[in-house]
Amino acid sequence: MELTAQAPTDSRSENRPGSRPEGLPEARPVGRRDTDGMAVASFVLGLLGLLVLNIVLGPVAIVLASLALWRGTARRGRALLGLGLGVADLVVLVTLMSLNNSVSWSFAG
């Protein structure tokens, strides 16, 4: 003998697209959450890239910010900051490489 419990259903809302059970919060689309995360990640990686690994973190920040902007993130300002910081990472890299006359740079000189 198997016991199962079923929640009462309202036949009017069962077949409506976008209907949700009562008491559950409104869910944001997953795509929007992903683009917001990309915008924040581009900002953090661009900021971190000013200090270390700017040859890697700069381009990653630029790509993430571009994707977030292209997909229409709600955090547009943060994505633009990430894009600017990614470009600044590469400018810092080129400037310090030209000052040291080498392929890499360091603070020690």
Side-chain angles (χ1 to χ4, degrees):
M1 186 164 145
E2 186 175 319
L3 295 175
T4 58
Q6 284 186 322
T9 59
D10 184 10
S11 61
R12 291 175 292 170
S13 66
E14 271 183 21
N15 296 327
R16 278 191 309 184
S19 65
R20 59 184 172 84
E22 289 183 34
L24 292 180
E26 186 74 29
R28 285 179 48 190
V30 175
R32 175 63 63 132
R33 246 186 322 197
D34 291 345
T35 57
D36 291 350
M38 280 190 233
V40 172
S42 70
F43 173 71
V44 170
L45 291 177
L47 196 59
L48 187 61
L50 288 173
L51 301 174
V52 293
L53 293 173
N54 52 4
I55 196 164
V56 176
L57 297 180
V60 170
I62 291 170
V63 168
L64 285 175
S66 299
L67 280 173
L69 288 170
W70 183 66
R71 291 182 180 181
T73 182
R75 297 177 185 252
R76 185 170 171 77
R78 199 145 303 153
L80 289 172
L81 281 172
L83 185 64
L85 286 170
V87 171
D89 290 346
L90 298 179
V91 169
V92 166
L93 176 68
V94 169
T95 303
L96 292 175
M97 281 176 24
S98 66
L99 290 175
N100 288 342
N101 292 326
S102 67
V103 179
S104 64
W105 66 272
S106 67
F107 287 119

